[in-house]
Amino acid sequence: ARTEQIDFKAREEERRRQKENQEELLEKVNQATLSILDKSNNQNTAGGGTSRKISEIVSYKDISDVKRVHHFAIQVDNRSETVLLPIYGIMVPFHILTIKNASATQENEHYFIRINFN
């Protein structure tokens, strides 16, 4: 009975140390995350961040920069991060940051592509 009590106390002490260690590690991770977020917020407020308004996003600066295509199909221009959609016979560019999600479904021999924008 005495050894069981000693083993129980040793296990309880080990659990307590593990819990303290986990709390310390959690605090370190939270501090690191907080510092990363603070740095990114400072960059965003200084104008160097990646968050932009929709009106600030530009796929092409000039019409001559648009990729020339010979067939009208949905295409992706990786260089300018743009999706080109054929709308009424004209390839219309949409920057990828303006697209919220896309899905494709097939019914018989027809494919339907749905693109949701922000």
Side-chain angles (χ1 to χ4, degrees), residues 57-60 66-67 69 73-87 90-102 113-117:
I57 297 171
V58 177
S59 291
Y60 299 103
V66 177
K67 182 177 159 183
V69 293
I74 297 174
Q75 298 181 11
V76 177
D77 184 357
N78 291 327
R79 183 180 51 83
S80 63
E81 299 178 332
T82 300
V83 177
L84 297 166
L85 301 175
I87 299 176
I90 299 171
M91 295 302 281
V92 181
F94 294 94
H95 195 275
I96 60 170
L97 293 178
T98 63
I99 297 174
K100 185 175 188 178
N101 61 27
I113 298 175
R114 177 184 177 132
I115 300 173
N116 295 324
F117 295 91

Short mmCIF file of all heavy atoms in Angstrom, two decimals, residues 57-60 66-67 69 73-87 90-102 113-117:
data_model
loop_
_atom_site.label_atom_id
_atom_site.label_comp_id
_atom_site.label_asym_id
_atom_site.label_seq_id
_atom_site.Cartn_x
_atom_site.Cartn_y
_atom_site.Cartn_z
N ILE A 57 -7.06 46.37 -56.79
CA ILE A 57 -6.53 45.20 -57.48
C ILE A 57 -6.61 45.42 -58.98
O ILE A 57 -7.67 45.72 -59.52
CB ILE A 57 -7.32 43.94 -57.08
CG1 ILE A 57 -7.15 43.70 -55.59
CG2 ILE A 57 -6.84 42.74 -57.87
CD1 ILE A 57 -8.05 42.62 -55.05
N VAL A 58 -5.48 45.27 -59.66
CA VAL A 58 -5.42 45.47 -61.11
C VAL A 58 -4.75 44.25 -61.74
O VAL A 58 -3.63 43.89 -61.36
CB VAL A 58 -4.62 46.75 -61.45
CG1 VAL A 58 -4.49 46.90 -62.94
CG2 VAL A 58 -5.26 47.96 -60.82
N SER A 59 -5.45 43.61 -62.67
CA SER A 59 -4.87 42.47 -63.36
C SER A 59 -3.85 42.92 -64.40
O SER A 59 -2.75 42.38 -64.48
CB SER A 59 -5.95 41.65 -64.04
OG SER A 59 -6.76 41.02 -63.09
N TYR A 60 -4.26 43.88 -65.20
CA TYR A 60 -3.39 44.40 -66.26
C TYR A 60 -3.44 45.92 -66.21
O TYR A 60 -4.51 46.51 -66.06
CB TYR A 60 -3.87 43.93 -67.63
CG TYR A 60 -3.86 42.43 -67.80
CD1 TYR A 60 -5.03 41.70 -67.73
CD2 TYR A 60 -2.67 41.75 -68.01
CE1 TYR A 60 -5.03 40.33 -67.87
CE2 TYR A 60 -2.66 40.37 -68.15
CZ TYR A 60 -3.84 39.66 -68.09
OH TYR A 60 -3.83 38.31 -68.22
N VAL A 66 -2.86 42.32 -71.93
CA VAL A 66 -3.73 41.16 -71.85
C VAL A 66 -3.20 40.07 -72.78
O VAL A 66 -2.83 40.32 -73.93
CB VAL A 66 -5.18 41.52 -72.24
CG1 VAL A 66 -6.08 40.29 -72.23
CG2 VAL A 66 -5.72 42.58 -71.30
N LYS A 67 -3.18 38.87 -72.26
CA LYS A 67 -2.69 37.70 -73.00
C LYS A 67 -3.58 37.46 -74.22
O LYS A 67 -4.80 37.43 -74.13
CB LYS A 67 -2.73 36.51 -72.05
CG LYS A 67 -2.24 35.22 -72.60
CD LYS A 67 -2.29 34.19 -71.47
CE LYS A 67 -2.31 32.80 -72.03
NZ LYS A 67 -2.42 31.81 -70.96
N VAL A 69 -5.35 35.34 -77.00
CA VAL A 69 -5.82 33.96 -77.09
C VAL A 69 -6.46 33.74 -78.46
O VAL A 69 -6.98 34.66 -79.07
CB VAL A 69 -6.84 33.65 -75.97
CG1 VAL A 69 -6.16 33.67 -74.62
CG2 VAL A 69 -8.01 34.59 -75.99
N ALA A 73 -11.91 30.01 -74.26
CA ALA A 73 -12.13 29.07 -73.17
C ALA A 73 -11.61 29.73 -71.90
O ALA A 73 -10.82 30.68 -71.96
CB ALA A 73 -11.40 27.76 -73.42
N ILE A 74 -12.04 29.25 -70.77
CA ILE A 74 -11.54 29.80 -69.51
C ILE A 74 -10.05 29.49 -69.40
O ILE A 74 -9.63 28.35 -69.58
CB ILE A 74 -12.31 29.21 -68.32
CG1 ILE A 74 -13.78 29.60 -68.42
CG2 ILE A 74 -11.70 29.67 -67.00
CD1 ILE A 74 -14.66 28.95 -67.39
N GLN A 75 -9.28 30.54 -69.15
CA GLN A 75 -7.83 30.38 -69.07
C GLN A 75 -7.29 31.09 -67.84
O GLN A 75 -7.93 32.00 -67.31
CB GLN A 75 -7.17 30.94 -70.32
CG GLN A 75 -7.60 30.22 -71.58
CD GLN A 75 -6.91 30.78 -72.80
OE1 GLN A 75 -5.98 31.56 -72.70
NE2 GLN A 75 -7.38 30.37 -73.96
N VAL A 76 -6.09 30.67 -67.42
CA VAL A 76 -5.43 31.29 -66.28
C VAL A 76 -4.10 31.86 -66.74
O VAL A 76 -3.32 31.18 -67.41
CB VAL A 76 -5.19 30.27 -65.14
CG1 VAL A 76 -4.43 30.91 -63.99
CG2 VAL A 76 -6.50 29.69 -64.66
N ASP A 77 -3.87 33.12 -66.44
CA ASP A 77 -2.60 33.77 -66.72
C ASP A 77 -1.83 33.81 -65.39
O ASP A 77 -2.08 34.66 -64.54
CB ASP A 77 -2.83 35.17 -67.27
CG ASP A 77 -1.54 35.86 -67.68
OD1 ASP A 77 -0.46 35.28 -67.49
OD2 ASP A 77 -1.62 37.00 -68.19
N ASN A 78 -0.92 32.86 -65.20
CA ASN A 78 -0.18 32.74 -63.94
C ASN A 78 0.70 33.96 -63.67
O ASN A 78 0.88 34.36 -62.52
CB ASN A 78 0.68 31.48 -63.94
CG ASN A 78 -0.15 30.23 -63.87
OD1 ASN A 78 -1.21 30.22 -63.26
ND2 ASN A 78 0.31 29.18 -64.52
N ARG A 79 1.25 34.54 -64.71
CA ARG A 79 2.16 35.67 -64.54
C ARG A 79 1.47 36.84 -63.87
O ARG A 79 2.00 37.47 -62.97
CB ARG A 79 2.72 36.10 -65.91
CG ARG A 79 3.74 37.22 -65.85
CD ARG A 79 4.26 37.58 -67.24
NE ARG A 79 3.21 37.84 -68.20
CZ ARG A 79 2.56 38.99 -68.34
NH1 ARG A 79 2.86 40.01 -67.57
NH2 ARG A 79 1.62 39.14 -69.24
N SER A 80 0.25 37.13 -64.28
CA SER A 80 -0.47 38.27 -63.70
C SER A 80 -1.54 37.83 -62.70
O SER A 80 -2.34 38.66 -62.26
CB SER A 80 -1.12 39.10 -64.80
OG SER A 80 -2.07 38.31 -65.48
N GLU A 81 -1.56 36.53 -62.34
CA GLU A 81 -2.53 36.00 -61.38
C GLU A 81 -3.96 36.37 -61.76
O GLU A 81 -4.71 36.95 -60.99
CB GLU A 81 -2.20 36.47 -59.97
CG GLU A 81 -0.84 36.01 -59.48
CD GLU A 81 -0.52 36.53 -58.09
OE1 GLU A 81 -1.02 37.61 -57.72
OE2 GLU A 81 0.23 35.85 -57.40
N THR A 82 -4.32 36.04 -62.98
CA THR A 82 -5.60 36.44 -63.54
C THR A 82 -6.30 35.26 -64.19
O THR A 82 -5.66 34.42 -64.81
CB THR A 82 -5.37 37.54 -64.60
OG1 THR A 82 -4.74 38.64 -63.97
CG2 THR A 82 -6.66 38.00 -65.23
N VAL A 83 -7.61 35.23 -64.04
CA VAL A 83 -8.44 34.26 -64.75
C VAL A 83 -9.11 35.01 -65.89
O VAL A 83 -9.71 36.07 -65.69
CB VAL A 83 -9.50 33.64 -63.81
CG1 VAL A 83 -10.42 32.70 -64.57
CG2 VAL A 83 -8.84 32.92 -62.65
N LEU A 84 -9.00 34.47 -67.09
CA LEU A 84 -9.61 35.08 -68.27
C LEU A 84 -10.88 34.32 -68.62
O LEU A 84 -10.85 33.12 -68.88
CB LEU A 84 -8.63 35.04 -69.46
CG LEU A 84 -7.34 35.84 -69.25
CD1 LEU A 84 -6.31 35.46 -70.29
CD2 LEU A 84 -7.64 37.32 -69.30
N LEU A 85 -12.00 35.02 -68.59
CA LEU A 85 -13.30 34.40 -68.87
C LEU A 85 -13.86 34.97 -70.17
O LEU A 85 -13.91 36.18 -70.35
CB LEU A 85 -14.28 34.69 -67.73
CG LEU A 85 -13.88 34.19 -66.35
CD1 LEU A 85 -14.91 34.66 -65.31
CD2 LEU A 85 -13.78 32.69 -66.33
N PRO A 86 -14.29 34.08 -71.06
CA PRO A 86 -14.92 34.57 -72.29
C PRO A 86 -16.36 35.01 -72.02
O PRO A 86 -17.20 34.21 -71.62
CB PRO A 86 -14.87 33.37 -73.23
CG PRO A 86 -14.83 32.19 -72.32
CD PRO A 86 -14.14 32.63 -71.06
N ILE A 87 -16.61 36.30 -72.16
CA ILE A 87 -17.95 36.83 -71.94
C ILE A 87 -18.36 37.59 -73.20
O ILE A 87 -17.73 38.58 -73.57
CB ILE A 87 -17.98 37.76 -70.70
CG1 ILE A 87 -17.58 36.96 -69.46
CG2 ILE A 87 -19.36 38.38 -70.54
CD1 ILE A 87 -17.48 37.77 -68.19
N ILE A 90 -15.57 38.24 -75.73
CA ILE A 90 -14.42 39.04 -75.29
C ILE A 90 -13.82 38.36 -74.06
O ILE A 90 -14.56 37.96 -73.15
CB ILE A 90 -14.85 40.47 -74.93
CG1 ILE A 90 -15.44 41.16 -76.16
CG2 ILE A 90 -13.67 41.27 -74.39
CD1 ILE A 90 -16.08 42.49 -75.84
N MET A 91 -12.50 38.25 -74.03
CA MET A 91 -11.83 37.68 -72.87
C MET A 91 -11.75 38.75 -71.79
O MET A 91 -11.08 39.76 -71.96
CB MET A 91 -10.44 37.16 -73.23
CG MET A 91 -10.48 36.00 -74.22
SD MET A 91 -11.44 34.59 -73.65
CE MET A 91 -10.31 33.82 -72.54
N VAL A 92 -12.44 38.52 -70.68
CA VAL A 92 -12.51 39.50 -69.59
C VAL A 92 -11.62 39.00 -68.44
O VAL A 92 -11.80 37.89 -67.96
CB VAL A 92 -13.96 39.68 -69.10
CG1 VAL A 92 -14.02 40.70 -67.97
CG2 VAL A 92 -14.87 40.07 -70.25
N PRO A 93 -10.65 39.83 -68.02
CA PRO A 93 -9.74 39.40 -66.94
C PRO A 93 -10.33 39.67 -65.56
O PRO A 93 -10.94 40.71 -65.32
CB PRO A 93 -8.49 40.25 -67.18
CG PRO A 93 -9.00 41.48 -67.84
CD PRO A 93 -10.19 41.08 -68.64
N PHE A 94 -10.14 38.71 -64.66
CA PHE A 94 -10.50 38.85 -63.25
C PHE A 94 -9.31 38.43 -62.41
O PHE A 94 -8.82 37.30 -62.56
CB PHE A 94 -11.71 37.99 -62.89
CG PHE A 94 -12.98 38.41 -63.57
CD1 PHE A 94 -13.38 37.82 -64.76
CD2 PHE A 94 -13.77 39.40 -63.01
CE1 PHE A 94 -14.55 38.20 -65.37
CE2 PHE A 94 -14.95 39.79 -63.63
CZ PHE A 94 -15.33 39.19 -64.81
N HIS A 95 -8.82 39.32 -61.56
CA HIS A 95 -7.70 38.97 -60.69
C HIS A 95 -8.16 37.89 -59.71
O HIS A 95 -9.32 37.88 -59.28
CB HIS A 95 -7.20 40.21 -59.93
CG HIS A 95 -5.86 40.00 -59.32
ND1 HIS A 95 -5.71 39.42 -58.08
CD2 HIS A 95 -4.62 40.27 -59.77
CE1 HIS A 95 -4.42 39.35 -57.80
NE2 HIS A 95 -3.74 39.85 -58.80
N ILE A 96 -7.26 36.97 -59.34
CA ILE A 96 -7.66 35.85 -58.49
C ILE A 96 -8.13 36.30 -57.11
O ILE A 96 -8.89 35.58 -56.47
CB ILE A 96 -6.53 34.81 -58.37
CG1 ILE A 96 -5.28 35.43 -57.76
CG2 ILE A 96 -6.24 34.17 -59.69
CD1 ILE A 96 -4.23 34.41 -57.38
N LEU A 97 -7.71 37.46 -56.65
CA LEU A 97 -8.16 37.94 -55.34
C LEU A 97 -9.61 38.37 -55.35
O LEU A 97 -10.21 38.53 -54.29
CB LEU A 97 -7.27 39.10 -54.87
CG LEU A 97 -5.82 38.74 -54.56
CD1 LEU A 97 -5.04 39.97 -54.14
CD2 LEU A 97 -5.75 37.68 -53.48
N THR A 98 -10.19 38.55 -56.54
CA THR A 98 -11.60 38.92 -56.61
C THR A 98 -12.51 37.71 -56.64
O THR A 98 -13.72 37.85 -56.52
CB THR A 98 -11.89 39.78 -57.85
OG1 THR A 98 -11.61 39.01 -59.03
CG2 THR A 98 -11.06 41.04 -57.85
N ILE A 99 -11.93 36.50 -56.77
CA ILE A 99 -12.72 35.28 -56.84
C ILE A 99 -12.80 34.65 -55.45
O ILE A 99 -11.78 34.39 -54.82
CB ILE A 99 -12.12 34.29 -57.85
CG1 ILE A 99 -12.16 34.91 -59.25
CG2 ILE A 99 -12.86 32.96 -57.81
CD1 ILE A 99 -11.48 34.09 -60.31
N LYS A 100 -14.02 34.44 -54.99
CA LYS A 100 -14.21 33.84 -53.66
C LYS A 100 -14.06 32.32 -53.74
O LYS A 100 -13.31 31.72 -52.98
CB LYS A 100 -15.60 34.20 -53.14
CG LYS A 100 -15.89 33.76 -51.75
CD LYS A 100 -17.25 34.30 -51.33
CE LYS A 100 -17.52 34.04 -49.86
NZ LYS A 100 -18.81 34.62 -49.48
N ASN A 101 -14.77 31.67 -54.68
CA ASN A 101 -14.62 30.24 -54.90
C ASN A 101 -15.17 29.88 -56.27
O ASN A 101 -15.82 30.69 -56.92
CB ASN A 101 -15.30 29.42 -53.79
CG ASN A 101 -16.78 29.67 -53.69
OD1 ASN A 101 -17.42 30.03 -54.66
ND2 ASN A 101 -17.34 29.48 -52.51
N ALA A 102 -14.89 28.65 -56.68
CA ALA A 102 -15.37 28.17 -57.97
C ALA A 102 -15.72 26.70 -57.82
O ALA A 102 -15.10 25.98 -57.02
CB ALA A 102 -14.32 28.36 -59.05
N ILE A 113 -19.71 25.58 -64.83
CA ILE A 113 -18.71 26.15 -63.93
C ILE A 113 -19.35 27.36 -63.26
O ILE A 113 -19.85 28.26 -63.92
CB ILE A 113 -17.43 26.55 -64.67
CG1 ILE A 113 -16.81 25.31 -65.28
CG2 ILE A 113 -16.47 27.25 -63.74
CD1 ILE A 113 -15.61 25.59 -66.14
N ARG A 114 -19.31 27.35 -61.94
CA ARG A 114 -19.87 28.46 -61.16
C ARG A 114 -18.71 29.17 -60.47
O ARG A 114 -17.92 28.54 -59.78
CB ARG A 114 -20.85 27.92 -60.14
CG ARG A 114 -21.42 28.98 -59.26
CD ARG A 114 -22.31 28.35 -58.20
NE ARG A 114 -22.78 29.38 -57.31
CZ ARG A 114 -24.03 29.54 -56.94
NH1 ARG A 114 -24.95 28.71 -57.38
NH2 ARG A 114 -24.36 30.50 -56.11
N ILE A 115 -18.63 30.46 -60.67
CA ILE A 115 -17.59 31.27 -60.04
C ILE A 115 -18.26 32.34 -59.19
O ILE A 115 -19.06 33.11 -59.69
CB ILE A 115 -16.66 31.92 -61.09
CG1 ILE A 115 -15.99 30.85 -61.93
CG2 ILE A 115 -15.64 32.82 -60.42
CD1 ILE A 115 -15.18 31.37 -63.10
N ASN A 116 -17.95 32.34 -57.91
CA ASN A 116 -18.48 33.35 -56.99
C ASN A 116 -17.39 34.37 -56.72
O ASN A 116 -16.24 34.03 -56.44
CB ASN A 116 -18.91 32.72 -55.66
CG ASN A 116 -20.08 31.77 -55.86
OD1 ASN A 116 -20.96 32.00 -56.67
ND2 ASN A 116 -20.08 30.68 -55.11
N PHE A 117 -17.78 35.63 -56.77
CA PHE A 117 -16.84 36.72 -56.57
C PHE A 117 -17.05 37.33 -55.18
O PHE A 117 -18.13 37.24 -54.61
CB PHE A 117 -17.01 37.80 -57.65
CG PHE A 117 -16.66 37.30 -59.02
CD1 PHE A 117 -17.62 36.74 -59.84
CD2 PHE A 117 -15.35 37.38 -59.49
CE1 PHE A 117 -17.30 36.27 -61.11
CE2 PHE A 117 -15.02 36.91 -60.75
CZ PHE A 117 -15.99 36.36 -61.56
#
